[in-house]
Amino acid sequence: MPGFPTLIKPSKESTGKSAIEDVLELTHLEDINPNLFTNTRPLWHPPGARGIYGGAVIAQCLAAAQRTVPGDFIVHSMHCYFVLNGNADIPIIYHVEHVREGRSFATRTVQARQRGQPIFTTTLSFMREGSGGKKLVQHAAHMPDVPLPSDKHPGDDLMRGANSPFISQRIDILNNDSPRPYEKRTRQWIKAKGRISDAGGHQAHLSALAYMSDSYFIGTVSRVHKLWRYSAAPASSDKNKSEGGGSGKLGISPETVRKLKDMDDATLRRMEGMDEDVIAELRSVELRDGEVVWKEGQARREIGMMVSLDHTIYFHSPKDFRADEWMFTECDSPWSGDGRGLVHQRMYTQDGTLIATCVQEGLVRLKQDAPKL
């Protein structure tokens, strides 16, 4: 029996909202329970991924929790666990539990469920605005000196899809030639497409930031180790095609490979995930009879499985940014081992205000050699 991506049939289109507001819209099931919500529109399953995009569930849990606290309470932290892969063909039910109602702090837990099973859980803490007092202890890490985002966009994101509600521009990895992966810094500019409506308030910008915070996060581990992180399935693989991963070693279609090869290096360097090692490998492939053909003898360590396990966001200046304006992100990985990796991320406004710090641990397993017979 085919699945249904939403519990209630959504309207064909919304008006006056940005693409990311549209994607993250929730339906309040208050007639059933005032603490129940569900996704209004279908959620995105990235090509080749094991489930729906994690940032969408993070953001919708935040959006649901924000609707259950007083207007002068602002989120300052959320701690999340990915439990099971989400299915894009089945609606998600979000249940908000009121853990604490204090004068200065309020605590919520949100559990996202499909078919009665939890797929994601998070605990969020909210603080009453201005409750820290007039005298404050203040400091913040400075934003590094980096090139500003370009007015020229690489075009529709061939890796993520033209319907993505946000855009990004990568910057060269800092210390990329270092033999110590923990010294490297992956960097990018990112923002929501269009303009987030005034009706959404600061809450819409916080949800949008949460959505984008999961972009290429745990992938930092593969980038600092220069691992091959695209699908290695052959072009003729029916399984690869059925999962939306396309064909060829990149996990994308030969047509997309052709488009990427036609781009100049400067354009590719602005695209998410197109590091120098990836560009060099892309230049070495050939297209023959609609198939991607790789250079003979080409071998490198490959990612066998990479999924997020947990995700934490600390919001520092919840009202001092717009998610539809360029934000700078910088990631580093202090540790990886035992099939897991840890990544830290800082997010800044273009003028250098530190607005969020994120931490994520994920499963990072290499493709293993076939057993010898």
Side-chain angles (χ1 to χ4, degrees):
M1 184 177 71
F4 297 92
T6 60
L7 190 64
I8 300 170
K9 185 178 179 180
S11 58
K12 291 185 179 180
E13 59 182 25
S14 60
T15 57
K17 291 184 178 180
S18 65
I20 203 161
E21 287 179 279
D22 209 31
V23 167
L24 296 177
E25 187 178 352
L26 288 176
T27 297
H28 194 178
L29 303 175
E30 54 189 333
D31 289 340
I32 301 174
N33 184 318
N35 296 305
L36 286 184
F37 302 83
T38 188
N39 55 299
T40 301
R41 305 185 188 281
L43 297 179
W44 177 49
H45 185 139
R50 297 172 66 85
I52 58 178
Y53 173 60
V57 186
I58 295 170
Q60 290 198 329
C61 282
L62 171 58
Q66 287 180 136
R67 291 169 66 169
T68 69
V69 297
D72 59 345
F73 276 69
I74 303 176
V75 66
H76 68 86
S77 70
M78 63 185 302
H79 303 267
C80 319
Y81 283 93
F82 297 92
V83 181
L84 292 171
N85 297 325
N87 189 330
D89 295 326
I90 301 172
I92 298 178
I93 302 296
Y94 298 97
H95 180 260
V96 182
E97 181 180 356
H98 296 237
V99 178
R100 181 189 180 192
E101 307 285 0
R103 293 177 61 185
S104 297
F105 290 90
T107 307
R108 300 288 185 267
T109 61
V110 184
Q111 194 171 87
R113 287 178 168 263
Q114 285 186 321
R115 290 179 172 166
Q117 288 188 304
I119 64 168
F120 180 90
T121 183
T122 180
T123 299
L124 307 96
S125 184
F126 295 81
M127 182 177 178
R128 183 168 56 81
E129 190 173 10
S131 60
K134 293 184 178 180
K135 296 181 179 180
L136 302 172
V137 177
Q138 293 180 298
H139 74 270
H142 283 199
M143 176 177 154
D145 206 9
V146 295
L148 294 175
S150 171
D151 292 334
K152 297 180 180 179
H153 303 312
D156 291 337
D157 193 321
L158 296 177
M159 309 300 288
R160 195 168 54 230
N163 293 326
S164 172
F166 67 94
I167 56 177
S168 63
Q169 292 183 15
R170 65 168 284 277
I171 303 173
D172 288 342
I173 295 176
L174 184 67
N175 302 325
N176 197 28
D177 293 330
S178 171
R180 294 175 286 273
Y182 58 83
E183 292 183 344
K184 301 181 183 182
R185 303 290 184 269
T186 64
R187 307 172 298 174
Q188 68 174 340
W189 290 101
I190 194 166
K191 69 173 180 176
K193 290 180 178 178
R195 180 177 174 82
I196 294 176
S197 67
D198 294 340
H202 71 273
Q203 293 90 345
H205 294 273
L206 288 166
S207 296
L209 181 147
Y211 184 96
M212 292 183 281
S213 71
D214 195 35
S215 174
Y216 266 76
F217 201 169
I218 194 59
T220 299
V221 177
S222 67
R223 295 176 69 187
V224 299
H225 280 273
K226 297 185 179 180
L227 304 175
W228 193 240
R229 53 193 177 272
Y230 299 103
S231 171
S236 59
S237 169
D238 290 336
K239 180 179 183 294
N240 192 41
K241 291 178 181 179
S242 66
E243 290 181 353
S247 56
K249 193 172 182 180
L250 281 171
I252 50 181
S253 69
E255 176 62 19
T256 299
V257 173
R258 184 191 64 76
K259 290 179 179 179
L260 291 170
K261 285 176 69 67
D262 287 344
M263 293 181 179
D264 59 65
D265 286 0
T267 300
L268 287 173
R269 288 189 183 104
R270 294 198 301 272
M271 292 180 64
E272 188 177 74
M274 285 289 143
D275 298 324
E276 293 299 327
D277 59 302
V278 177
I279 294 173
E281 197 132 3
L282 180 66
R283 295 302 185 209
S284 72
V285 305
E286 296 181 9
L287 293 170
R288 299 178 192 166
D289 300 323
E291 296 286 325
V292 179
V293 180
W294 297 86
K295 185 178 179 180
E296 286 188 21
Q298 208 165 359
R300 61 191 295 183
R301 294 191 301 169
E302 291 183 26
I303 288 292
M305 181 185 297
M306 185 167 60
V307 294
S308 304
L309 295 173
D310 58 56
H311 187 109
T312 296
I313 308 176
Y314 297 96
F315 301 90
H316 306 313
S317 300
K319 288 188 174 182
D320 292 343
F321 75 98
R322 291 190 62 91
D324 51 14
E325 295 177 352
W326 285 115
M327 298 178 291
F328 170 76
T329 75
E330 181 178 69
C331 294
D332 68 272
S333 179
W335 176 88
S336 65
D338 199 24
R340 304 189 321 280
L342 183 69
V343 181
H344 295 156
Q345 176 178 214
R346 289 174 177 169
M347 305 182 75
Y348 297 85
T349 60
Q350 189 168 335
D351 66 5
T353 302
L354 181 64
I355 52 176
T357 299
C358 311
V359 183
Q360 188 173 94
E361 186 182 43
L363 199 67
V364 184
R365 291 179 178 171
L366 292 175
K367 183 180 180 182
Q368 303 298 309
D369 294 332
K372 295 182 180 179
L373 300 177

